[in-house]
Amino acid sequence: MNKFKFRIIGTLSLIIIVIIATLVYTGYSAFKKESVDLNKALLSEKNATIEAGLVEKFNGYRQMLSSVNASVSDIDIDGLSLNVITQLKALSRAQNTASDGVYLFTKKGDIYNADGEQLNINVKALKLKYHDAIFNKGRTFFVSSPFKSTKTGKSVLGIALKIDDSVAVLSTVYLESLLEGTINRKDIFMYNSDGTIITSPYPELINKNIFIERPLYKQFNASNPELSYTAEVYGEDVAFTAFWGVLDITGWSYVSF
């Protein structure tokens, strides 16, 4: 009788333990799923916020550049007309400390500063991307990849707007000014169409190729904006969940994780 009783108690105890374990596991799984889903929603929302902020900034620069009205008739052997100089200087004041210079450049490759003086370079001969994009590839608005300013030594972007078939206006905008609030974030990569890393939580990766540093990022596209992966960070394997987006206005991709 006692053996039977002990068996019953043992069986009931085992059933209770299994039930409790199942409930704990089910609760943990549900909590884990809710936590993952919440983090994914937060990442998606971060991407939307980043995109909205950057598009607003780029549109603001585009609007400022559109204030310049010029043509080849405003250019002669002495440089730019007083009317265009006045406009370029007004644009320079409007951008204040955000830009290290504004310029007018032509289809032939001549480029002029805000004082109306022709610079001793030819942007067509140098095959600079903003000239190629505006006058060869049919772009009306173009944002270059970051490069080091010869004037200040800081990282800048060339933002160019086509005025007509012969003339365009250019502003070299400081990268840190444009990406203020994003550039120092520890949870986002931003890279251009050829994979060059523009911003990174890991400073040593700036200007390297994202597709070498994170090969799985080649899988990102409009129908596959989410990835889970493991990457080595400072010698340790770390698991990540990442969301991808793209800025149509520049062609840059950004990944928050």
Side-chain angles (χ1 to χ4, degrees):
M1 182 67 181
N2 285 338
K3 287 184 180 180
F4 179 74
K5 185 177 180 180
F6 284 131
R7 284 180 183 175
I8 293 296
I9 293 172
T11 301
L12 289 174
S13 298
L14 180 61
I15 291 172
I16 291 170
I17 291 171
V18 170
I19 290 173
I20 292 173
T22 300
L23 290 173
V24 169
Y25 175 78
T26 301
Y28 171 75
S29 297
F31 172 77
K32 183 178 179 181
K33 184 178 184 305
E34 283 185 17
S35 179
V36 170
D37 288 345
L38 177 59
N39 277 291
K40 287 181 179 180
L42 289 173
L43 286 175
S44 183
E45 184 61 30
K46 280 183 180 180
N47 275 13
T49 301
I50 292 166
E51 181 172 359
L54 288 176
V55 167
E56 183 179 3
K57 285 189 175 183
F58 280 120
N59 282 335
Y61 281 112
R62 181 171 187 160
Q63 186 174 1
M64 282 192 281
L65 292 178
S66 68
S67 67
V68 177
N69 184 22
S71 69
V72 290
S73 63
D74 290 297
I75 304 171
D76 60 29
I77 194 169
D78 295 322
L80 301 180
S81 69
L82 179 59
N83 178 47
V84 175
I85 292 172
T86 301
Q87 294 178 65
L88 291 178
K89 287 188 173 181
L91 175 61
S92 182
R93 288 193 299 271
Q95 294 188 350
N96 198 10
T97 57
S99 168
D100 78 347
V102 296
Y103 307 87
L104 196 79
F105 65 97
T106 69
K107 188 173 184 178
K108 294 190 300 180
D110 299 327
I111 185 166
Y112 302 82
N113 63 21
D115 292 321
E117 301 165 341
Q118 184 175 353
L119 304 185
N120 192 31
I121 61 171
N122 185 287
V123 295
K124 179 180 180 180
L126 291 173
K127 298 181 180 179
L128 296 185
K129 289 186 177 181
Y130 57 80
H131 181 276
D132 184 51
I134 294 294
F135 291 117
N136 296 329
K137 295 183 177 177
R139 299 285 294 274
T140 56
F141 181 70
F142 176 76
V143 180
S144 77
S145 298
F147 60 92
K148 184 170 288 188
S149 168
T150 57
K151 188 175 179 180
T152 62
K154 293 184 177 182
S155 291
V156 295
L157 304 167
I159 302 181
L161 179 70
K162 187 175 185 178
I163 298 175
D164 63 24
D165 290 338
S166 300
V167 178
V169 61
L170 169 75
S171 176
T172 50
V173 176
Y174 294 124
L175 180 65
E176 61 184 17
S177 175
L178 181 68
L179 299 182
E180 185 181 11
T182 300
I183 199 167
N184 293 321
R185 281 180 50 167
K186 303 302 182 184
D187 61 350
I188 186 169
F189 281 107
M190 191 171 291
Y191 52 95
N192 67 13
S193 56
D194 65 14
T196 302
I197 299 173
I198 298 168
T199 66
S200 166
Y202 317 109
E204 66 275 13
L205 298 186
I206 299 292
N207 291 325
K208 292 187 177 181
N209 191 287
I210 191 70
F211 303 122
I212 293 175
E213 303 302 325
R214 298 289 186 271
L216 284 173
Y217 281 19
K218 291 179 181 178
Q219 298 178 22
F220 279 127
N221 55 54
S223 59
N224 185 40
E226 176 191 335
L227 279 179
S228 293
Y229 62 93
T230 300
E232 185 177 310
V233 179
Y234 303 132
E236 295 186 8
D237 288 336
V238 180
F240 292 92
T241 296
F243 272 81
W244 170 89
V246 63
L247 284 172
D248 292 333
I249 198 168
T250 61
W252 295 354
S253 292
Y254 53 95
V255 176
S256 58
F257 56 85

